[in-house]
Amino acid sequence: MTHPTPSTITTADRSAPRARHRPDLQGLRGVAVLLVVAFHVWTEKVSGGVDVFFVLSAFLLTGSFLRRIEHGRPLELPAYWTRTFARLLGPVAVMLLAVLAAVFLWFPPSRWAELLTQAWGSLFYVVNWVLAGQAVDYYAGNSAATTPLQHMWSLSVQGQVFLVWPLLLAGAAAAARWAGIRFRPVAWGVFGAVFAGSLTWSGLATAAGPEAAYFSALTRLWEFALGSMAALVLTTTGTSRTASRRGTAPARVAGVWLGWTGLAAIVATPFLIGADTRFPGTIALAPTAGAAAILHGGALAPDSRAGASRILAARPLQWFGDRAYGIYLWHWPLLIIYLLVTARDTVPVLHGLGILAASVVLTRATALLLAGWRALPGIRAGNGLRLTATALLVAVPLTGAHQYTVQRDPSAGVERTAQNYPGAAVLRGDVTEVPDVPIIPTGAEREHEWGDTGGACPPGDTPESLDGLGHCRVIAPDDGAAPARTVVVIGDSHAQQLLTPIHRAADAQGWTVISYLRMACRYTGGTQPADAECDEFNAASRQAALEAEPDAVVTLGTRSLPEAPHEKLVDGYEDGVRPFLDAGIPVLAFRDNPRFPFSMFACVETYGPDHHRCNPPRSESLLPENPLKEVAARHEDLHSIDLTDRLCTDTVCPGVIGNIQVYMDLDHVTSTYGETLAPDVESRMLRALDWKPQESLHRSTVPR
């Protein structure tokens, strides 16, 4: 992380007041960056180190501006912004260019467009908002968690604060002059309001949606405000009396106590926060209040041998503190690339230390490279020119890379026939030889692989109770004839993916299919108190289905899991389907498909379809026996349909079958593969319901 220092935050004015050097702050940076690296590399926990950086940044920024304001010096904001971002962007540019090269060298093509978007966001310090959008986008598969640029969210937040904070300080100074009062009380009011408002919002937003709240600048502003309030207390300019009691015995004792308490709070934070703790919220008060305590403790007892400042001033921590920005910039891309290249999910201790060492080496190499860059004729002429040239140095290759990804289509020229892309026909035994052609769907097509849901239900046929809770979709015979059967499908994205083969069966059999869908909401009997809206949707769709009086209802009866036991019955499933059974409506309970702890689509693109990682054992994908069999045996009209034999062989569950990617992420079957499942779904639905088949129009499946 980076933090403005008094010498870099103000304009070059030798008469400007300077802050007393505090080595404990540099040591605190060292502690923070080591916590960040350690808990990123060896755990999935939040370290709290980034929050410490936020407090420090605002403390130094506010203190520097405070001294200038109270001494009547001009703030010269444009010069400050130009110089600050020219200094910060240099190391970022080097890292972005290295990541860009790594993306095309090692990352799967399906992720190129997404990563290039994040690179643009990083260049302009807005990637936190990009990641927030991806984190809450269900269809994005939460790719924000595996990007080599995820760590740039915090630098983007800081960059936004570096733009806004000087304006708040300048505005407070202007308001104080206009009102004829001292600056500090006005500044206290401004940052106190920011602290209270942002902390309140952080708690609410984190409880409502922790994924987006984690990356949001609005949920983090209070952390910067805390650092600013510390600066208002501790910064001396010759006009303040805040330090008059420093040096007294009680003050020194308080300083020692504050320092150790603050350091303990910071170090303890990652050990006390559980993997499921919602962050930031109020829990972020632990590391931020700890940082504020160290700021105060070091000011009250700066030279105490018993204080934490003595530990923080130790040479090793100072050394890491001096390199904290570069280490932070490089450690995360190195970690993600390491995990990708080695196909590992964890990092051995020695390998993790190697990542830290490589971060230090790259930090030094970056500094040498930028020193040469700044020495070039013209670049050294001014910060504005250097900032512009640095941004262009990244923007030009990013633009070229974007054009390449748009134009690239590895399957161009290959006819998409059932012979080239047999899919599930291979497991049916209909095909014995599979031609050597590029695998489909491509990464560019993946966003269209969510299943054929048909059209929206006509307004008069859309249940009012579903408004705002879910979606109503329908497919009916094209010729306008009365449907031979009506089928209702209820569920989440796994029900949606079944709609592709179900709709092909409907086309062949003359059915009408009505679907009630809500993403991330598996149909059940209302046993999910943590998700009230999902329960409301299930109740509304249940009532709508009963009123539709269909010939059958389709749901998912099991839920696959990425780890052992790999599969379970949907909680409360029998309660959910009992109203249909009581009404004499047959229920088809489909078994869920496997779910993996990684993106199978990306695995195939990265390592190839034959890699062992992309062909996990069947025993590690689902239970040996379908859990729905026992449930179906208790109800005459409840029928279990298991497609596992069309998703897995006897031994493995492949990522590619018949030249078609089976999964579009870690658990969703591609619509392209779903097309090839149509004969299986059609025949098994007819057999389970004992319905007489029509003359099928759909005897060979061709990927659409």
Side-chain angles (χ1 to χ4, degrees), residues 417-422 431 433-435 659:
T417 63
Q419 289 71 38
N420 285 335
Y421 297 101
V431 174
E433 294 186 8
V434 180
N659 287 331

Side-chain angles (χ1 to χ4, degrees), residues 94 158 183 221 255 271 313 371 408 435 515 600:
V94 176
Q158 279 195 315
F183 167 74
L221 290 180
F271 296 98
R408 179 184 180 275
S515 54
M600 183 63 79

Side-chain angles (χ1 to χ4, degrees), residues 437-483:
V437 296
I439 295 167
I440 62 171
T442 65
E445 297 167 336
R446 188 169 61 156
E447 63 182 280
H448 305 296
E449 291 291 321
W450 284 96
D452 178 12
T453 60
C457 296
D461 296 336
T462 302
E464 293 184 7
S465 57
L466 284 179
D467 187 30
L469 292 173
H471 303 282
C472 178
R473 310 289 290 184
V474 64
I475 183 173
D478 292 335
D479 57 6

Side-chain angles (χ1 to χ4, degrees), residues 20 22 24-25 28 59 230 233-234 246-248 250-263 289-310 312:
R20 175 180 64 83
R22 288 189 55 177
D24 59 324
L25 301 192
L28 183 55
F59 174 78
V233 172
L234 301 175
R246 292 178 194 162
T248 64
R252 291 176 65 83
V253 171
V256 170
W257 184 85
L258 282 171
W260 283 114
T261 301
L263 185 59
I294 288 176
L295 292 175
H296 285 78
L300 293 173
D303 303 317
S304 174
R305 296 188 173 216
S309 297
R310 186 176 179 84
L312 294 173

Side-chain angles (χ1 to χ4, degrees), residues 416 440 449 452 500 504 507 671-672 675 698 702-704:
R416 297 197 176 187
I440 62 171
E449 291 291 321
D452 178 12
T500 294
R504 302 300 166 260
D507 291 340
S671 184
T672 300
E675 293 272 358
H698 191 71
V702 179
R704 299 190 177 189

Side-chain angles (χ1 to χ4, degrees), residues 319-548:
W319 191 88
F320 279 106
D322 291 340
R323 293 157 180 79
Y325 184 30
I327 292 173
Y328 183 86
L329 274 179
W330 286 108
H331 86 283
W332 183 260
L334 289 173
L335 171 62
I336 296 301
I337 293 168
Y338 167 86
L339 294 173
L340 181 72
V341 171
T342 62
R344 288 179 177 270
D345 296 316
T346 59
V347 182
V349 173
L350 289 179
H351 292 196
L353 293 175
I355 290 173
L356 175 58
S359 301
V360 172
V361 171
L362 287 172
T363 297
R364 178 57 178 164
T366 301
L368 294 174
L369 186 62
L370 290 175
W373 168 250
R374 288 190 293 268
L376 292 175
I379 300 298
R380 61 187 177 188
N383 291 315
L385 180 60
R386 179 154 55 96
L387 176 61
T388 302
T390 303
L392 288 174
L393 193 65
V394 179
V396 170
L398 275 180
T399 301
H402 177 75
Q403 291 300 318
Y404 174 73
T405 59
V406 170
Q407 297 171 4
R408 179 184 180 275
D409 183 0
S411 65
V414 179
E415 189 175 2
R416 297 197 176 187
T417 63
Q419 289 71 38
N420 285 335
Y421 297 101
V426 173
L427 296 184
R428 281 196 296 273
D430 298 341
V431 174
T432 56
E433 294 186 8
V434 180
D436 184 14
V437 296
I439 295 167
I440 62 171
T442 65
E445 297 167 336
R446 188 169 61 156
E447 63 182 280
H448 305 296
E449 291 291 321
W450 284 96
D452 178 12
T453 60
C457 296
D461 296 336
T462 302
E464 293 184 7
S465 57
L466 284 179
D467 187 30
L469 292 173
H471 303 282
C472 178
R473 310 289 290 184
V474 64
I475 183 173
D478 292 335
D479 57 6
R485 302 281 185 180
T486 297
V487 176
V488 169
V489 178
I490 307 175
D492 56 6
S493 57
H494 284 227
Q496 178 175 326
Q497 69 190 16
L498 282 174
L499 287 176
T500 294
I502 288 175
H503 281 173
R504 302 300 166 260
D507 291 340
Q509 298 298 325
W511 301 340
T512 286
V513 178
I514 304 170
S515 54
Y516 303 129
L517 304 171
R518 178 184 173 88
M519 299 306 97
C521 180
R522 189 64 51 95
Y523 179 75
T524 184
T527 59
Q528 302 182 61
D531 192 346
E533 288 192 353
C534 178
D535 288 342
E536 290 181 40
F537 165 78
N538 283 332
S541 58
R542 184 183 307 119
Q543 184 61 35
L546 289 170
E547 292 175 358

